[in-house]
Amino acid sequence: MARIAVIGAGTGAMAAAARLAVAGDEVTVYERSQSYGGSVGRHERDGFVFDTGPGLLHLPAVQRDLFVKTGKESLEQCVTLTQVDPASRHLFADGTAVSLPNASRAGVASALDAALGAGAGERWTAFLERARDAWDRSRRPLLEEPLRADHQVLGRDPYPAARQRRLLRGARQAATVAQIGAWELADPRLAALLDGYALAYGLDPRTAPASAALLPYMEQSFGSWYVMGGMRELARAVYERCVARKVEFVFGAEVVRVVEKDGRAAGVELTGGEVAEADRVVLGVRPHAGLAPGQQVWGADDVTVRSGAVPGRFTVLLSLRGGREADAVHRTVVHSADGAAEQEAVFGGRVAAHPTVTVLRPDDPATRPDEEHEAVTLTATVAPRGPVDWTDPALRQRFADALVERAGAAVPGLRERILHTEVRTPAETEAETGAEGGAVPPPALAGAQGAYLHPGNLTRLPGLYLAGGWSHPGGGLAHAGMSGTLVAGLVVEGDGFRGSQ
């Protein structure tokens, strides 16, 4: 029986902890805050309940596998999963609106044809077929196995971009998300639809590799799911599974250093100087100088997430008077009137004048005091704290007002219905999770010469492993869960573990 110290109680770290406990190890989780879940948080006030992190689940198979491998009760026995249908409604700058059905390629094509004109559905379907090829080519090396020593192979983009011939000019092939929108989708609304997927994950459509096509492919192929009671219920279920497997949690315990002895990780040092010895250490938070002994933490060739500031999220939680109308949609995306200017602002460290706003309106009695009220969440991707001072009260209020104004297109009479507003910015994210600037980790992507990869789960310091959204294969509930699976495999089966067959 090995002693395992896990730093952080995010969902990826807890996934690793549960699997390791089942394998017979003695696992202790050290969490700087007073609760579990990391970014999967919750805010409650006067009977209103809001998710403060992810609002939907897009690849539930990852969580289902965790519960199958760690106990008798399945995921569905621990939480209530519901498919969101329609998966999303989109409001474009020209006034066009379209609702996309959940996990129905044919239904999506029909909806796009009806809303955007004949041919729109065919172009989107052709794009998703290419995205499927990219998924088939990259799923295993990118998502289902540890980062390979020859990870440079992932520097090649797996997306088979359509080759387009041009009169008197050379043929061209899309290499970025923006180029797919302009050259292959050939409709500004379809381009905005694709850009919105990238932006929601904190990716700049102008530079994100074409392989980001995996993101809409996964959502439209495997569906969008909501956990009744809020997504925090998923974090609760994972925590309770850990406890049932005898994982020990120490809350309010901030780790300041990974202890090294005889050339390998040998424990963790807490604030105040206390040292907890361990045979192995799992780092489930974003690595920084205080936690990593020198530069030894990184995987082969010091793989890091892409250069530049990683965006965060600006969220407005609205307690509303008046019930949710019967035909209300769970998720509506109000696209920017000037997507290019928004991207320039977000990825240039400024505040966007016309942000893309995601409006979440769950049909969930647990989120509201009664049927005469409604809990609504507005979210926009923004520059992190640092380039923007998100502690400035005037700026916070001004940007929150801008989100409410834009969200009025999705929620009838929104402003007049507001009882209470709670604003959360990258400043709150940084304070609660410790992520520098309140940044939210993006998923790993192939292509762009490896610029969108994350540090590998297996590090140069023997006995030290990386799990969670800031390690391979990146951010998001599904990806973080995959990282926990990979770390558990490496610890139990050794450095030669290559993932489940």
Side-chain angles (χ1 to χ4, degrees):
M1 175 185 293
R3 296 169 300 173
I4 312 291
V6 178
I7 305 172
T11 55
M14 289 196 295
R19 290 176 182 272
L20 289 168
V22 168
D25 292 322
E26 180 183 314
V27 184
T28 302
V29 177
Y30 299 90
E31 167 57 44
R32 66 191 291 271
S33 73
Q34 296 299 324
S35 188
Y36 55 83
S39 63
V40 187
R42 170 180 285 169
H43 176 77
E44 300 182 38
R45 174 171 176 165
D46 301 333
F48 292 93
V49 176
F50 305 88
D51 287 318
T52 59
L56 291 171
L57 183 63
H58 295 305
L59 199 59
V62 175
Q63 279 71 29
R64 288 190 177 114
D65 182 70
L66 171 64
F67 279 78
V68 166
K69 299 293 175 56
T70 60
K72 295 181 179 179
E73 299 83 13
S74 68
L75 175 64
E76 279 79 358
Q77 289 175 293
C78 299
V79 299
T80 301
L81 282 178
T82 61
Q83 279 195 299
V84 175
D85 203 4
S88 58
R89 183 169 183 250
H90 295 265
L91 305 180
F92 299 105
D94 67 351
T96 306
V98 60
S99 291
L100 303 181
N102 198 348
S104 171
R105 293 273 241 11
V108 167
S110 296
L112 290 173
D113 277 339
L116 309 186
E122 181 179 359
R123 289 195 298 277
W124 184 261
T125 298
F127 155 70
L128 283 186
E129 287 297 320
R130 291 188 288 274
R132 183 186 64 181
D133 289 344
W135 167 263
D136 291 339
R137 294 173 180 177
S138 63
R139 181 182 66 181
R140 182 161 183 80
L142 183 66
L143 302 176
E144 297 180 349
E145 61 181 42
L147 196 63
R148 296 160 49 168
D150 62 340
H151 62 268
Q152 291 84 358
V153 299
L154 290 172
R156 296 193 292 270
D157 199 315
Y159 179 78
R163 185 176 177 84
Q164 299 180 328
R165 296 181 178 178
R166 298 182 295 170
L167 185 65
L168 302 180
R169 289 179 292 175
R172 64 185 182 186
Q173 289 179 284
T176 66
V177 168
Q179 288 172 349
I180 291 175
W183 301 348
E184 296 183 0
L185 298 177
D187 183 309
R189 295 162 298 184
L190 289 178
L193 177 62
L194 177 57
D195 285 355
Y197 283 103
L199 191 63
Y201 283 92
L203 298 166
D204 185 348
R206 301 168 302 171
T207 57
S211 64
L214 294 177
L215 303 174
Y217 172 80
M218 286 192 298
E219 179 174 325
Q220 295 191 12
S221 297
F222 307 118
S224 296
W225 300 77
Y226 173 71
V227 179
M228 296 300 290
M231 297 301 294
R232 174 71 176 179
E233 288 297 292
L234 177 61
R236 174 197 58 76
V238 176
Y239 168 73
E240 291 181 353
R241 179 54 55 88
C242 285
V243 172
R245 300 283 78 82
K246 308 303 181 184
V247 174
E248 180 183 356
F249 284 80
V250 184
F251 294 109
E254 183 170 7
V255 175
V256 296
R257 186 170 67 93
V258 175
V259 176
E260 181 182 352
K261 182 178 179 181
D262 298 329
R264 61 178 296 111
V268 297
E269 180 182 335
L270 307 178
T271 302
E274 177 188 353
V275 173
E277 296 182 350
D279 300 301
R280 295 179 179 84
V281 176
V282 176
L283 184 59
V285 298
R286 189 176 192 179
H288 58 78
L291 288 175
Q295 295 300 311
Q296 300 181 79
V297 68
W298 305 115
D301 296 329
D302 295 335
V303 174
T304 60
V305 74
R306 70 190 189 281
S307 60
V310 179
R313 304 289 185 269
F314 189 105
T315 303
V316 182
L317 312 176
L318 299 175
S319 303
L320 303 184
R321 64 171 63 88
R324 182 181 187 274
E325 61 268 23
D327 61 349
V329 174
H330 187 114
R331 176 178 53 165
T332 299
V333 180
V334 183
H335 292 272
S336 173
D338 190 341
E342 179 184 23
Q343 293 158 26
E344 287 277 358
V346 171
F347 298 97
R350 302 188 304 277
V351 178
H354 302 286
T356 295
V357 181
T358 298
V359 183
L360 295 180
R361 306 178 67 189
D363 186 11
D364 183 356
T367 65
R368 52 191 183 248
D370 53 50
E371 294 303 311
E372 299 305 316
H373 295 85
E374 183 182 6
V376 172
T377 301
L378 316 180
T379 304
T381 298
V382 296
R385 183 186 181 191
V388 175
D389 181 9
W390 290 116
T391 65
D392 180 355
L395 174 60
R396 292 163 65 98
Q397 185 62 54
R398 186 165 64 250
F399 198 70
D401 287 342
L403 264 60
V404 170
E405 183 66 27
R406 293 187 54 73
V411 185
L414 175 59
R415 192 173 291 278
E416 293 73 25
R417 296 174 57 193
I418 297 175
L419 291 170
H420 180 263
T421 301
E422 177 75 18
V423 175
R424 298 176 58 85
T425 77
E428 282 73 32
T429 303
E430 181 177 46
E432 293 177 6
T433 69
E436 182 180 356
V440 177
L445 296 173
Q449 298 181 326
Y452 288 76
L453 299 177
H454 290 252
N457 312 105
L458 185 66
T459 74
R460 290 181 177 175
L461 181 65
L464 178 62
Y465 305 83
L466 304 184
W470 292 107
S471 64
H472 179 74
L477 284 171
H479 290 70
M482 293 175 194
S483 78
T485 302
L486 296 176
V487 165
L490 287 166
V491 171
V492 174
E493 298 188 25
D495 295 356
F497 172 71
R498 300 313 306 163
S500 301
Q501 299 296 326

